[in-house]
């Protein structure tokens, strides 16, 4: 099951082209705002969506379009979420129709996504005008595509891997946007993954649904669960492996490759959280069960006080214990150990629920790194979990204090 | 049932004295750090406590001391929470013993509280040394007492009222500290209330437990539920009314007075949230039931994105709808209306779950006030609720990025 990182992103797999342009949804002409990904052949399609009751119109339309398990293209705009608009579904449908028309495929084979401000009408005019040149630009342009889906992201997020399925080399790649409104328990961001591996739609959905439980559902930037976001995968089968249509070794190889891509994208999203200067990874072991481990880990990366302390490189571990205590996780706080780990070393701060003496100097060094692991051990069982988050900074407030103007 | 605001706080009721001094728990000599409240007579006592699994030692000791329904004094230090310390309970017991000794009352009649950093040993030495002068200073000093329990609070919080029970005038007053780690579903701050009304311990506990459901459990500053906080009431009966020992008109009058004090303290705590520049009040009506209304209202005041938008006076109402959508409340988001109201006027921003045209200029004016109401109507039933919160600002991050140093 060897998996290798390869260059590129969403166009690394055979038969996929992509592109991203500025069409005018955004006023800033320097920022791409319309993205497209196309498969040469109709592909198996799977997706997971936001659990927010308020759902973007694009979610409604995409769900319907991939209900048959297949799709061939993705169209996505940034700058406007097309959510809470009376004509939202109509506009999303129109985006699919225009994309389908330009590509010569049915509108029902198009996945549509929108991200940006909520509650402002999305004008189809610039999108309609832009689609022909977007289609003309399609090629090996994963970076432009990744740029076009970004909102407050500061870093382009893409990754590709190659992996082996029954002796056949397959490729898989993805792009992501995240930054704000990132919170556990939903597909909390836009992630588009493509692969040339042959896999049946039901198995593709199974692999994705399993995977997000320990990846995208364990990332939090600000506790706000977005209305629009989704993770989708297109698998066009052009690698030529025997179609994966049941669990087994091939399915496991696929799941492993998917997990490699998703974990890395999760880390990129958390590290590039709005205003973030640090990636936080909370690793929990020894909980009674996985649920307790996940609940505790998520609560730690969601705690505003812990996040602010990490920003200040302040080893205020009481906030970690506090966040575990109010998380609702069934844990024995009197048997809890906590340590901070980074490239600069590690510092044990709490044993059996009580503080231990530690070097403040070392702690400051450990917490001044850009990736910090908060390692929690409960000594009660085998439950383990990992959650990702980021620090809370002045810039988070700045970015969100006046997002619309 | 007329209730009047009267001057003072925790010493407004007959037979109560109080004081606050600097004893040395804190290094800063200018900040009082030890508070005491004493009743001339043994009083009925009731309290509600944090729901965090990690509990301060003072919580454990206070619970035990008022299990019989009575107490006569309160001792409280700021600067150290005495939580997650191996000798924590011993230190809290010692505080009660020393206070009891100095006052000539049993240690078991003392309510003890601590607030401040978690996980650092609380040295009893400065407290032991300070208690005699604290006792000597006792008098009509509600303000000094309120100051001594403050941590990152910037504003002293106290209030007193007079009310009528069966033709007898009673008084009730309270002091509070809040600021950070303030979150629904527990007694999320330190609040000490005194009254000279005569009421049986069981009825006092009933009134308090009922009241916090719509008051202290509906306040959030940062989503972090503290380990230490409590709301306690001492009722010494010195007003001379017939003891309230059952529900009825007198009980209702008492509950109303209590609610007047607690609502005002809640608003003060939210308005003085760490770094806050604005008090947010989310008022929900027309929900299917009270649970749905409360869940939605709390989610709105807890949303980091909504809070940051309010800081920026940005009418980004989509974030309000988004917070309702992920709250878990059983609501029909397509029938939701939202408006912002303040002293500068009101602006309707969303009707039936969709945006409406509004004047950005007016919205900016409305949202530039220091008290903002976010008014949500669901049109589904009679469920109503109010929740309080504050904006998210640069100063919140500053305060919490380096709290310990």
């Amino acid at each position: 099951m060897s998996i290798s990182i390869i260059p590129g992103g969403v166009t690394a797999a055979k038969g996929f082209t992509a592109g991203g342009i500025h069409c005018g949804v955004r006023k800033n002409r320097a920022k791409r705002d319309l993205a497209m990904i196309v498969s040469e052949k109709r592909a198996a399609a799977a997706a997971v969506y936001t659990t927010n009751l308020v759902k973007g119109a694009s979610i409604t339309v995409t769900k319907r379009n991939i209900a048959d398990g297949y799709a061939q293209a993705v169209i996505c705009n940034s700058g406007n979420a097309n959510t809470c608009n009376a004509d939202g579904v109509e506009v999303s449908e129109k985006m699919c129709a225009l994309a389908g028309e330009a590509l010569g495929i049915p509108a029902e084979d198009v996945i549509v996504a929108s991200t940006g401000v909520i509650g402002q009408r999305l004008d189809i005019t610039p999108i309609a005008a832009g689609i022909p040149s977007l289609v003309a630009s399609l090629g090996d342009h994963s970076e432009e595509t990744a740029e076009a889906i970004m909102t407050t992201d500061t870093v382009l997020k893409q990754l590709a891997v190659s992996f082996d399925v029954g002796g056949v080399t397959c490729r898989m790649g993805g792009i992501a946007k995240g930054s704000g409104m990132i919170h556990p328990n939903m597909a909390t961001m836009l992630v588009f993954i493509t692969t040339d591996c042959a896999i049946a739609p039901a198995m593709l959905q199974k692999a994705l649904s399993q995977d997000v439980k320990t990846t995208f559902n364990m990332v939090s930037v600000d506790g706000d669960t977005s209305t629009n976001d989704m993770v989708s995968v297109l698998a066009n089968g052009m690698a030529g492996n025997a179609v994966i249509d049941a669990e087994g070794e091939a399915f496991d190889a696929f799941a492993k490759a998917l997990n490699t891509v998703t974990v890395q994208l999760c880390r990129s999203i958390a590290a590039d959280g709005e205003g973030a200067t640090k990636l936080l990874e909370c690793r929990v072991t020894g909980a009674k069960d996985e649920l307790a481990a996940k609940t505790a880990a998520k609560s730690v990366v969601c705690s505003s006080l812990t996040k602010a302390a990490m920003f200040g490189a302040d080893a205020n571990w009481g906030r970690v214990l506090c966040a575990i205590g109010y998380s609702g996780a069934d844990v024995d706080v009197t048997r809890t150990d906590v340590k901070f780990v980074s490239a600069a070393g590690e510092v044990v701060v709490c044993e059996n629920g009580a503080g231990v003496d530690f070097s403040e100097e070392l702690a400051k060094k450990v917490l001044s790194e850009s990736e910090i692991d908060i390692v929690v051990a409960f000594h009660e069982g085998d439950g383990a979990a990992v959650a990702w988050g980021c620090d809370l900074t002045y810039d988070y407030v700045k970015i969100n204090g006046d997002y619309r103007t």
Side-chain angles (χ1 to χ4, degrees), chain A:
Chain A
M1 282 206 202
S2 92
I3 297 171
S4 312
I5 307 286
I6 59 174
V10 84
T11 52
K14 268 191 202 165
F16 286 96
T17 54
I21 62 164
H22 171 83
C23 76
V25 175
R26 292 175 181 278
K27 286 167 202 157
N28 177 0
R29 299 183 65 89
K31 172 69 181 79
R32 298 175 203 272
D33 56 16
L34 192 64
M36 190 178 267
I37 304 166
V38 183
S39 172
E40 220 177 293
K41 297 191 177 172
R42 199 165 178 247
V48 291
Y49 309 94
T50 180
T51 55
N52 197 312
L53 289 184
V54 180
K55 287 187 207 309
S58 60
I59 301 284
T60 308
V61 174
T62 294
K63 268 188 184 168
R64 197 194 299 151
N65 284 358
I66 69 164
D68 63 355
Y70 292 93
Q72 194 164 351
V74 174
I75 185 159
C76 174
N77 73 278
S78 59
N80 185 316
N82 191 24
T83 300
C84 298
N85 295 328
D87 66 347
V89 168
E90 202 182 315
V91 171
S92 291
E93 282 171 344
K94 188 77 186 164
M95 282 173 70
C96 294
L98 290 165
E101 204 176 312
L103 294 167
I105 63 172
E108 293 70 32
D109 278 344
V110 179
I111 288 171
V112 58
S114 295
T115 179
V117 68
I118 300 173
Q120 290 182 359
R121 279 199 62 246
L122 174 58
D123 183 6
I124 193 73
T125 318
I127 296 173
I131 282 177
S133 51
L134 177 57
V135 170
S137 81
L138 290 171
D140 183 14
H141 304 311
S142 182
E143 299 199 355
E144 288 83 344
T145 314
E147 268 178 49
I149 67 173
M150 283 161 65
T151 50
T152 50
D153 303 62
T154 65
V155 176
L156 186 153
K157 299 165 191 77
Q158 68 169 11
L159 182 77
V161 298
S162 70
F163 58 107
D164 183 279
V165 173
V168 176
T169 299
C170 300
R171 283 146 296 263
M172 181 187 292
I175 58 173
K177 67 132 300 206
S179 231
M181 270 206 190
I182 302 295
H183 190 59
N185 272 339
M186 44 101 52
T188 47
M189 58 284 294
L190 288 182
V191 178
F192 302 111
I193 296 170
T194 57
T195 178
D196 47 25
C197 183
I199 181 168
M203 298 312 292
L204 183 61
Q205 184 66 52
K206 185 171 200 161
L208 180 62
S209 297
Q210 282 294 337
D211 187 79
V212 298
K213 287 182 196 170
T214 58
T215 56
F216 297 114
N217 284 354
M218 295 299 286
V219 180
S220 180
V221 165
D222 55 14
D224 279 88
T225 299
S226 159
T227 56
N228 274 54
D229 298 346
M230 71 166 93
V231 179
S232 72
V233 189
L234 288 177
N236 68 10
M238 290 176 70
N241 61 298
V243 179
I244 300 169
D245 56 6
E247 295 200 42
E249 209 177 311
F251 180 78
D252 292 345
F254 182 85
K256 189 89 190 292
L258 181 62
N259 193 250
T260 304
V261 172
T262 56
V263 165
Q264 193 48 47
L265 292 177
C266 282
R267 292 174 60 92
S268 311
I269 288 167
D272 191 29
E274 283 177 343
T277 66
K278 290 172 189 177
L279 169 64
L280 307 182
E281 178 169 301
C282 180
R283 294 203 305 269
V284 170
T285 57
K288 279 198 189 77
D289 50 33
E290 197 192 348
L291 176 65
K294 281 178 141 178
T295 307
K298 282 203 275 193
S299 187
V300 170
V301 298
C302 289
S303 156
S304 292
L305 287 169
T306 301
K307 289 154 58 83
M310 295 298 102
F311 172 56
D314 177 12
N316 198 332
W317 60 269
R319 294 177 178 175
V320 174
L321 223 64
C322 177
I324 293 167
Y326 67 67
S327 68
D330 179 14
V331 298
D332 180 355
V333 288
T334 68
R335 296 176 64 188
T336 305
D337 300 342
V338 180
K339 63 180 176 182
F340 297 114
V341 181
S342 77
E346 74 171 59
V347 56
V348 176
V349 287
C350 169
E351 281 177 349
N352 293 317
V356 296
D357 287 336
F358 61 88
S359 153
E360 290 280 353
E361 195 188 350
L362 172 62
K364 202 87 189 170
K365 257 174 73 182
V366 168
L367 298 181
S368 295
E369 293 291 317
S370 62
E371 287 191 26
I372 295 162
D373 296 345
I374 303 169
V375 180
V376 177
F378 289 119
H379 309 294
E380 296 184 82
D382 295 328
V386 179
W388 297 276
C390 60
D391 56 346
L392 174 62
T393 69
Y394 300 119
D395 279 351
Y396 177 84
V397 178
K398 186 170 182 185
I399 291 164
N400 288 299
D402 200 8
Y403 176 67
R404 295 185 317 153
T405 53

